[in-house]
Amino acid sequence: MDTEPKFFETNPTAGVVGQPLNRVDGRDKVMGRAKYAAEYNQLPGLVHAVLKTSDVARGRITGFDTAAALKLPGVLAILTHQNIPKLAKTPNDADGKKAIGAPMGFLPLTGDQIHYAGQPLAVVVADTLERAQHAAAMLKVQVAAEKPTASYEAPEAQLFDPEKIQDGKAAGHVKRGDAQAAFAAAPVQLTHKYTHAINHHNPMEPGATTAHWEAPDRLTIYESTQGVTRTQKAVSTMLGLSAEQVRVVTKYLGGGFGCKGSCWPHTILAVQAAQAVGRPVKLALTRPQMFTSMGHREDQTQTLRLGATKDGKLTALLHEKTATTSPWDNYTESNSKIINMLYECPTFEASYQLARANVMTSTFTRAPGEAPGSFAIESSMDDLAYQLGIDPIEIRLRNYAEKDPSTGHDWSSKSLRQCYARGAELFGWSQRNPKNGATRDGRLLVGWGMASASYPVHNSQGTARARLYADGHAVVQAGATDLGTGTYTVMTQVAADALGLPVEKVRFELGDTKLPTAPNSGGSVAAGTVSSSVYMAVQDVWQKLTKVAVLDKKSPLYRANPADVEAKNGRLQLKKDASKGEGFAELMKRADLSDVEGNGQGRYGSGYEDAQAAANQGSASANADPSKKDEAAHHAMHSFGAHFCEVKVDPDLGTVRVTRWVSVHGAGRILNAKTARSQIIGGSIFGIGCALMEGTVRDQHFARYTNASLADYHIPVNADIPDMTVEFIDEHDPYINAMGVKGIGEISMVGVAAAVANAVFHATGKRVRELPLTPDKILNAKAV
């Protein structure tokens, strides 16, 4: 009687998980009921804050002329470094930076130094937005300007070798074997430089904060963030408060793409402004301020040397990266990781060089590291294929990695071969003429290209709470964030299946630090972690109900061994005799239980707590074995995929249009066929934008952006994108987590720019290695 079942099979084959369920939050969004961070307008006494930012990229503040601005009606305060409320800690010192967390790095309004154009110099607070904007325009700031450094390409830039990148999480140098010697001895040698433009995230919703001090020591922040817990930690640390004294709420997010993955200066400045005026304060960034306030993908150059045999087998890979960083950090994307693991190669070496410049810090941006790294390796693999007269898919198959080359570990699961085969079938790859420039549509050149995709599992864990009510409904909670990709929906599906309830009887709540802790929605960890947490919380519910049943003389399960009981379709029953059992409602009514609450912790990655959970998910991970629990940490975990692209190039104008697209991915268990397909389409569109048009221009003399608006920073629109075909390989992963789920948020962009560039090369015979592939570069390039 004291043996307890740890897990229950609660997901029947015909369950709702995996089905193309419509978004449960869709109606609220289209009806305008979804409330975003800048829409909490009913707070009593709400006022508005506007940032006054610097026009120069380097210098010192010598004075403020506030007289005219303060005389304007409705102006409540002008806050500068001279009078803003002080903080307990700031990221400006090493101890504060470590405690608060990167990548903020530097907090403005803490001194008179100016480090970058667009740096906040003052916060103006007024009773209306228009009055705050007017006062900010009237505020005069005296500045002693100095000559800025604009990038690593500036003559005065000093390159340095960072000891660590990604804030110490990954070594800047990696060496496996003697790649230098292997390259020197290789019969086939390729050396090419790849340049990547600055990219900005540009989500539809700008960064926004509404800060409300409900008491002198109790703060609520309505915030546009990908992680309420991370923001809570950063703000509470800076204020010197406990985490419980700071509540962060993000019920809806209008996109993030990495820029909302951390706490940024405007958030704490809004909090300080609310403290100063004693009223709730709303601060929303303008579109130009989004280019200087929440990070970006850094300008960078990669040099990739590739050595191979004459039959196309890789023998050496050497990768060097040079990039721009801010005056206060060593951050750079770790591009080399994907180059080190994607193909079998006995030797590898990577190094990084950075230069400090007068720019805002760069940050996680749409598949950070893997996206630009894949552009280099996948373009080079295409070059190798053409040089040796081998099909681009075949060259990849000849270098297919059966184990992770970077660690030697077996894959937890890998379906890349199947992705190649299915993608080629859907695209009609066998009909491709291998000769450059041989295919035309009238006067337009037609090209076909493909590239591999991969994104790693970043280990993560979180918690969830499930409350099942006797009347047949349930509330499930986790402090996660829905970036707009469907977290509300897929977690409702997971909970409904695990509880055996219709989806309309389940409400999933997220986006509040009062709820159980969940990780950031970033790095493709949310679906895997939160779904596992929800599943584990429901297991706890069933365990508690089983205890009630086996002690209840009126239950068909009275005196049953708990290990022999399973939960299926909302009822408890014997595994060997389903007729002996009862629904939870009957059991709870007889026991006078209005509800039962369960709590669970779920993990994603090598911290996977119990392989039996996956085994009990039936078809999701049928090969799971409890003995493999300790093996999980010794497996390499990645999602994989393949992109296929057709382009049409105008040979006279250099314009490129993507006309067909196919993506096939192996990403474990898919929670919702519709939202997953939508994510892959969205990420692929990101990649097409990166390939053909996206690029922020920083003036090399003044270190200011010259196209900081959506009128000038070009992104794809509907007319730029064809119908896209997306499929998933049915993949079972017995190690990844309790649900067998991998992340898909980032993999959809990895390899996309290379697939486009490879198609352009096939069409024109011109290899362009500088993103974006604008018409001038294509026209000026020479045929290979």
Side-chain angles (χ1 to χ4, degrees):
M1 291 290 296
D2 58 350
T3 302
E4 294 183 0
K6 193 169 183 182
F7 299 101
F8 295 85
E9 183 178 349
T10 56
N11 178 41
T13 304
V16 71
V17 167
Q19 299 302 312
L21 185 72
N22 289 336
R23 294 173 185 265
V24 298
D25 56 327
R27 183 170 292 274
D28 282 347
K29 287 184 174 179
V30 299
M31 297 296 290
R33 293 192 294 258
K35 191 173 284 191
Y36 294 81
E39 296 179 332
Y40 288 83
N41 297 317
Q42 305 307 313
L43 295 175
L46 179 69
V47 294
H48 299 261
V50 168
L51 298 178
K52 177 74 171 183
T53 59
S54 175
D55 293 327
V56 305
R58 184 179 178 187
R60 287 186 177 274
I61 301 168
T62 59
F64 294 93
D65 182 356
T66 63
L70 285 172
K71 289 179 182 177
L72 294 173
V75 175
L76 302 175
I78 295 177
L79 303 173
T80 70
H81 69 278
Q82 298 169 340
N83 65 343
I84 197 166
K86 300 303 179 186
L87 297 169
K89 282 184 183 290
T90 75
N92 298 7
D93 57 87
D95 178 58
K97 181 176 181 179
K98 184 176 180 180
I100 294 162
M104 186 191 294
F106 166 75
L107 182 65
L109 272 69
T110 51
D112 62 359
Q113 282 192 310
I114 299 172
H115 292 293
Y116 59 95
Q119 176 180 319
L121 305 181
V123 182
V124 180
V125 186
D127 59 354
T128 69
L129 175 61
E130 293 77 12
R131 285 174 166 176
Q133 291 171 330
H134 185 198
M138 295 295 291
L139 172 63
K140 305 299 180 185
V141 185
Q142 289 86 40
V143 171
E146 301 171 24
K147 185 181 185 302
T149 298
S151 75
Y152 69 88
E153 297 180 298
E156 71 277 9
Q158 297 182 3
L159 294 173
F160 68 96
D161 183 0
E163 294 182 358
K164 301 283 184 179
I165 63 170
Q166 298 284 52
D167 304 300
K169 294 180 182 177
H173 286 267
V174 176
K175 190 172 183 179
R176 177 165 54 80
D178 191 344
Q180 299 280 355
F183 179 79
V188 180
Q189 299 176 358
L190 299 178
T191 300
H192 294 298
K193 184 170 77 171
Y194 298 90
T195 302
H196 203 296
I198 304 165
N199 285 166
H200 276 84
H201 309 77
N202 280 311
M204 185 178 295
E205 177 200 26
T209 304
T210 303
H212 182 201
W213 287 91
E214 300 178 64
D217 62 349
R218 193 170 76 252
L219 171 69
T220 296
I221 306 172
Y222 302 96
E223 177 69 4
S224 181
T225 177
Q226 293 173 225
V228 293
T229 300
R230 181 178 286 184
T231 299
Q232 179 191 48
K233 176 189 174 185
V235 172
S236 61
T237 299
M238 284 187 274
L239 293 172
L241 299 175
S242 68
E244 291 74 21
Q245 291 171 291
V246 177
R247 179 188 178 197
V248 181
V249 178
T250 307
K251 292 299 182 182
Y252 292 93
L253 196 72
F257 321 135
C259 75
K260 297 176 184 175
S262 304
C263 184
W264 293 103
H266 69 273
T267 299
I268 190 64
L269 294 177
V271 169
Q272 290 172 285
Q275 189 175 35
V277 301
R279 294 169 68 172
V281 166
K282 179 199 296 187
L283 193 162
L285 298 176
T286 65
R287 184 58 58 181
Q289 287 171 352
M290 286 291 293
F291 284 77
T292 56
S293 300
M294 300 182 74
H296 56 274
R297 173 171 278 135
E298 70 267 29
D299 41 326
Q300 55 188 274
T301 295
Q302 305 173 80
T303 300
L304 183 61
R305 289 185 284 164
L306 181 156
T309 64
K310 290 185 177 180
D311 62 354
K313 297 292 290 291
L314 295 174
T315 60
L317 289 168
L318 296 101
H319 179 254
E320 301 170 6
K321 177 182 174 181
T322 304
T324 302
T325 191
S326 68
W328 52 80
D329 66 39
N330 296 344
Y331 178 88
T332 189
E333 295 179 310
S334 51
N335 304 27
S336 63
K337 286 184 179 180
I338 190 169
I339 300 171
N340 192 14
M341 56 68 58
L342 191 54
Y343 298 109
E344 182 62 44
C345 185
T347 67
F348 175 80
E349 186 173 336
S351 61
Y352 293 78
Q353 289 190 103
L354 301 179
R356 300 199 186 283
N358 294 106
V359 300
M360 175 62 163
T361 189
S362 51
T363 193
F364 330 114
T365 309
R366 295 181 252 164
E370 276 71 21
S374 67
F375 175 59
I377 183 63
E378 289 302 278
S379 296
S380 289
M381 291 298 287
D382 206 58
D383 283 336
L384 180 63
Y386 275 94
Q387 182 164 326
L388 298 178
I390 300 172
D391 183 85
I393 296 178
E394 176 60 26
I395 200 75
R396 288 162 173 82
L397 290 172
R398 292 187 187 185
N399 294 283
Y400 195 86
E402 299 294 350
K403 294 186 177 183
D404 183 348
S406 66
T407 64
H409 290 166
D410 291 331
W411 305 107
S412 61
S413 60
K414 183 179 181 180
S415 304
L416 185 54
R417 286 184 190 274
Q418 296 92 314
C419 293
Y420 290 149
R422 181 57 177 158
E425 178 185 2
L426 290 169
F427 194 79
W429 187 262
S430 62
Q431 304 302 311
R432 174 180 174 273
N433 186 331
K435 187 177 179 181
N436 296 107
T439 306
R440 286 182 175 265
D441 178 7
R443 55 183 295 277
L444 300 179
L445 298 169
V446 180
W448 289 5
M450 59 82 57
S452 305
S454 181
Y455 196 76
V457 168
H458 298 299
N459 297 338
S460 179
Q461 69 178 38
T463 54
R465 180 165 53 237
R467 181 168 289 173
L468 177 62
Y469 291 85
D471 66 1
H473 83 280
V475 177
V476 183
Q477 301 168 317
T481 306
D482 189 336
L483 289 88
T485 52
T487 304
Y488 273 113
T489 305
V490 297
M491 296 311 153
T492 299
Q493 291 175 266
V494 170
D497 261 14
L499 290 165
L501 293 175
V503 290
E504 60 268 18
K505 294 291 187 180
V506 177
R507 185 173 80 248
F508 181 68
E509 298 179 349
L510 54 66
D512 195 327
T513 50
K514 285 188 173 182
L515 303 178
T517 303
N520 264 33
S521 288
S524 298
V525 305
T529 310
V530 181
S531 66
S532 181
S533 303
V534 168
Y535 174 74
M536 300 298 289
V538 173
Q539 298 306 306
D540 192 31
V541 169
W542 290 125
Q543 287 180 40
K544 290 175 179 177
L545 284 173
T546 299
K547 288 182 181 179
V548 174
V550 299
L551 295 174
D552 184 352
K553 293 181 180 180
K554 295 183 179 180
S555 173
L557 300 172
Y558 177 57
R559 285 193 170 183
N561 186 332
D564 297 331
V565 177
E566 66 179 357
K568 205 164 187 178
N569 295 328
R571 69 192 302 268
L572 292 170
Q573 61 190 35
L574 290 180
K575 293 179 181 178
K576 294 183 178 180
D577 186 359
S579 66
K580 291 187 177 180
E582 63 180 326
F584 69 84
E586 305 163 54
L587 176 63
M588 292 174 69
K589 182 179 180 180
R590 202 167 51 246
D592 199 24
L593 291 172
S594 62
D595 60 86
V596 176
E597 181 181 294
N599 294 275
Q601 182 182 79
R603 299 182 181 179
Y604 178 55
S606 62
Y608 176 38
E609 70 278 14
D610 197 318
Q612 186 62 47
N616 284 333
Q617 278 296 87
S619 62
S621 297
N623 297 322
D625 183 332
S627 66
K628 294 181 180 179
K629 174 181 177 181
D630 296 329
E631 296 180 29
H634 302 290
H635 280 76
M637 299 180 180
H638 286 251
S639 297
F640 289 94
H643 301 290
F644 293 79
C645 171
E646 178 186 84
V647 299
K648 293 184 179 179
V649 183
D650 188 314
D652 298 318
L653 301 178
T655 54
V656 178
R657 180 172 294 278
V658 175
T659 50
R660 280 200 303 133
W661 190 267
V662 170
S663 289
V664 180
H665 294 278
R669 188 181 191 193
I670 300 303
L671 294 174
N672 183 307
K674 182 181 292 186
T675 58
R677 177 178 178 271
S678 180
Q679 266 196 288
I680 298 296
I681 289 173
S684 297
I685 292 171
F686 282 157
I688 291 170
C690 175
L692 297 179
M693 57 194 73
E694 283 195 61
T696 317
V697 180
R698 188 185 299 135
D699 182 275
Q700 291 299 302
H701 297 288
F702 299 104
R704 294 190 303 210
Y705 295 121
T706 63
N707 61 334
S709 72
L710 289 184
D712 299 308
Y713 183 94
H714 295 162
I715 58 174
V717 296
N718 287 346
D720 297 310
I721 304 298
D723 287 339
M724 306 180 93
T725 299
V726 174
E727 282 195 9
F728 295 95
I729 301 298
D730 186 17
E731 184 178 80
H732 308 293
D733 194 311
Y735 300 101
I736 199 83
N737 58 12
M739 292 290 295
V741 172
K742 293 181 180 179
I744 61 171
E746 260 105 354
I747 192 175
S748 52
M749 184 177 178
V750 178
V752 170
V756 175
N758 293 341
V760 170
F761 175 65
H762 179 233
T764 64
K766 297 180 177 182
R767 174 64 71 182
V768 181
R769 296 185 173 88
E770 182 179 353
L771 296 180
L773 309 177
T774 48
D776 58 311
K777 295 169 189 169
I778 292 171
L779 290 174
N780 291 328
K782 294 182 179 179
V784 176

